[in-house]
Amino acid sequence: MTEIVTPGERLALSAEYDAGTGTCVKDTFICATLVGIKRVLPAGQAEAEQRPRVEVVRSGVEPVVPRAGDTVTARVVRINPRLAAVDILCVGPKPVQQRYSGVIRVQDVRATEIDKVKIEASFRPGDVVRAEVLSLGDARSYHLTTAQNQLGVVYARSAAGVPMVPLSWQEMQCPTTKAVENRKVAKLDA
Amino acid sequence: MAGQREAQSVPWFADERPAEVIADGVRLDGRSLEEFRNVFLKTGVISQASGSAYAEFGHTKVMVGVYGPRQSERRVEYSEQGRINVDVKLASFATRQRGIFGQSPEERELSAGVQAALEAAADLASFPKASADVYVLVLEAGGGELGVAATAAALALADAGIELFDIVVACSVSRVDGCLLLDPSTDESFREQGGLVLALLPTSNEVTQLVSRGRWSGSQLREGLELAMGGCAQLESAARQCLKDAVVAAAAKQRQQQQQAQA
């Protein structure tokens, strides 16, 4: 029996249940914040999950907004010596429906020798990168970082327009012309 | 030019407004004093929008589209919380007089009114820096536009998947010759000595917006508010049912599509 709930409806007592996604706690009640189906998940094994959890699952498209700590996939739009401007394409596995701008500053490109970083040798316009959201940034763009091994360029085309093959964490090679170009390459699990 | 301006304000409806709106406790359209007009609510009517709703309260017809949460415009400054921007437009054919070019003062007031009614209901912390743009189009202004627009906009926000602490329901009350009329039409509110619009979050009865016009004595205002709160309670069940019906319909459509794909 699926129970459909609407925002504001009281789902359970906050003393007996934990609030999951799509819910909020108001006084002593857990109330729904979305239109969807109410689900009760049994208590987990971990210390923090002693109580069963109530959540509301929404059918249809959920609006996706980048938050601090999320891993995002973005395309580089513009570079200058201080930063690389990107368009965020997906947050985790979910594509975004609206345009979100992000920025990878020169000090956030990699973890070591950050004062010697050259943006030109790390990203080029058109590259697809995997990055992590550092913070909400300013009014115009999110601040992103690629300063981890698994973050960086995942897809890039060479000057000849051919998708390149990664050689190391700093280099990619064009399979047709054999030219080597510099990028901050992501180390993806095989 | 002056001549052109006058030509633009030729009224659509040349009839005079009726002088008497109540006779023996029965209103012009046959309703009792505390009866709503025929209410029709539906969500998911604009496919390109993140969420949408259409509401008809008798002759008042309102269509709402919600786009977002999406990146705020560049010139807007940074905010830890999300923003709701409301833009109400009265279609040029919606009122007795043809509408002027650009946004009229009435539209600005309606936009501010609907925004105030909605802001307390949405969980703005769930979409920081982004904004949800709410576009309201009034197709026919038959009375009580602010209330109908606020209710429809709340349904559209819920349809868009924006987290809300509660839905918003709103209704209007007019006082004509000492009688309190619930959900007045334009003819009735034209003859009013006082009117009010109440928007609230029904589960906790928290008022998000209260607009009062004209003269009210203390006891009249109390009675008027009680009538409006009762009206909102009636609307609440219709609004929640509308949202639930949309979920059922979407699930049925998805099942049908899956069956067709398998066949």
Side-chain angles (χ1 to χ4, degrees):
Chain A
M1 256 296 272
T2 49
E3 189 189 335
I4 304 177
V5 294
T6 53
E9 282 185 31
R10 292 176 176 153
L11 303 175
L13 289 172
S14 60
E16 293 169 21
Y17 289 85
D18 274 337
T21 54
T23 63
C24 68
V25 179
K26 272 213 296 204
D27 295 330
T28 54
F29 289 100
I30 296 180
C31 299
T33 56
L34 295 175
V35 181
I37 297 174
K38 173 182 170 188
R39 266 209 327 224
V40 179
L41 303 169
Q45 303 299 323
E47 272 282 334
E49 291 179 37
Q50 290 301 324
R51 296 175 296 188
R53 202 165 72 228
V54 172
E55 62 179 31
V56 178
V57 175
R58 187 174 175 264
S59 53
V61 183
E62 233 179 271
V64 179
V65 177
R67 273 184 245 278
D70 287 341
T71 303
V72 301
T73 310
R75 178 184 295 120
V76 178
V77 172
R78 207 173 59 241
I79 58 170
N80 71 41
R82 289 183 304 115
L83 53 84
V86 305
D87 258 351
I88 297 176
L89 302 171
C90 309
V91 175
K94 300 185 207 164
V96 294
Q97 289 95 33
Q98 315 283 356
R99 184 156 168 236
Y100 290 105
S101 302
V103 126
I104 306 173
R105 292 169 301 176
V106 70
Q107 65 267 32
D108 299 321
V109 171
R110 60 178 197 227
T112 53
E113 292 187 323
I114 56 175
D115 47 335
K116 297 209 183 78
V117 170
K118 288 213 169 81
I119 293 279
E120 262 212 313
S122 314
F123 304 114
R124 290 291 170 106
D127 292 353
V128 177
V129 306
R130 176 166 298 169
E132 192 181 290
V133 179
L134 266 183
S135 73
L136 299 179
D138 58 27
R140 292 179 301 181
S141 7
Y142 289 85
H143 286 169
L144 308 176
T145 178
T146 51
Q148 287 175 41
N149 287 348
Q150 77 274 16
L151 302 175
V153 174
V154 295
Y155 175 88
R157 286 178 182 254
S158 70
V162 180
M164 292 196 285
V165 172
L167 291 180
S168 72
W169 72 278
Q170 291 210 57
E171 291 169 333
M172 292 182 107
Q173 185 177 41
C174 170
T176 319
T177 60
K178 304 290 184 263
V180 171
E181 295 187 26
N182 288 319
R183 297 285 198 279
K184 198 276 174 188
V185 186
K187 182 183 161 112
L188 300 175
D189 292 332
Chain B
M1 288 187 288
Q4 250 180 6
R5 200 164 235 267
E6 265 150 35
Q8 275 175 6
S9 62
V10 172
W12 299 112
F13 304 106
D15 302 341
E16 294 280 324
R17 287 194 189 268
E20 294 296 325
V21 293
I22 317 173
D24 298 326
V26 177
R27 292 148 89 169
L28 284 176
D29 49 10
R31 286 188 284 158
S32 72
L33 301 185
E34 302 186 2
E35 210 181 312
F36 264 101
R37 293 171 286 183
N38 283 330
V39 172
F40 174 77
L41 300 167
K42 185 156 191 231
T43 55
V45 290
I46 305 175
S47 53
Q48 299 147 309
S50 312
S52 55
Y54 175 69
E56 258 189 39
F57 279 48
H59 284 296
T60 301
K61 303 179 170 78
V62 173
M63 173 94 84
V64 181
V66 168
Y67 295 84
R70 59 186 178 183
Q71 191 159 280
S72 300
E73 286 175 24
R74 301 217 133 197
R75 54 190 159 85
V76 171
E77 49 178 52
Y78 174 79
S79 159
E80 288 277 337
Q81 290 198 319
R83 251 181 281 264
I84 296 192
N85 301 319
V86 176
D87 185 18
V88 176
K89 183 100 191 81
L90 290 167
S92 60
F93 45 82
T95 47
R96 280 173 76 93
Q97 298 280 114
R98 188 186 184 281
I100 61 166
F101 181 70
Q103 204 182 36
S104 69
E106 201 186 342
E107 286 167 342
R108 270 194 282 268
E109 251 185 74
L110 282 174
S111 302
V114 173
Q115 178 146 0
L118 295 178
E119 266 173 353
D123 183 3
L124 298 175
S126 66
F127 51 102
K129 227 172 60 139
S131 54
D133 296 322
V134 180
Y135 297 102
V136 179
L137 176 62
V138 179
L139 295 163
E140 193 178 346
E145 290 84 43
L146 175 56
V148 178
T151 309
L155 289 178
L157 282 177
D159 187 47
I162 290 171
E163 302 211 25
L164 302 172
F165 294 123
D166 203 347
I167 56 170
V168 178
V169 283
C171 70
S172 326
V173 166
S174 273
R175 197 182 76 247
V176 177
D177 301 331
C179 295
L180 291 173
L181 305 177
L182 179 63
D183 194 29
S185 62
T186 38
D187 291 338
E188 289 167 344
S189 51
F190 185 71
R191 298 281 170 211
E192 70 184 8
Q193 285 89 42
L196 59 85
V197 183
L198 179 72
L200 50 75
L201 307 179
T203 315
S204 46
N205 269 345
E206 277 175 58
V207 173
T208 60
Q209 170 79 310
L210 171 58
V211 178
S212 106
R213 298 180 299 266
R215 272 178 139 151
W216 290 90
S217 72
S219 59
Q220 282 170 341
L221 188 56
R222 203 163 30 245
E223 272 180 49
L225 283 175
E226 274 170 18
L227 180 58
M229 285 179 72
C232 286
Q234 286 178 47
L235 258 191
E236 180 197 358
S237 46
R240 292 201 194 278
Q241 192 54 46
C242 161
L243 291 172
K244 292 183 185 181
D245 289 343
V247 174
V248 170
K253 191 168 155 191
Q254 209 183 26
R255 264 200 307 274
Q256 201 185 33
Q257 276 175 347
Q258 275 175 348
Q259 277 172 357
Q260 274 180 349
Q262 279 170 1

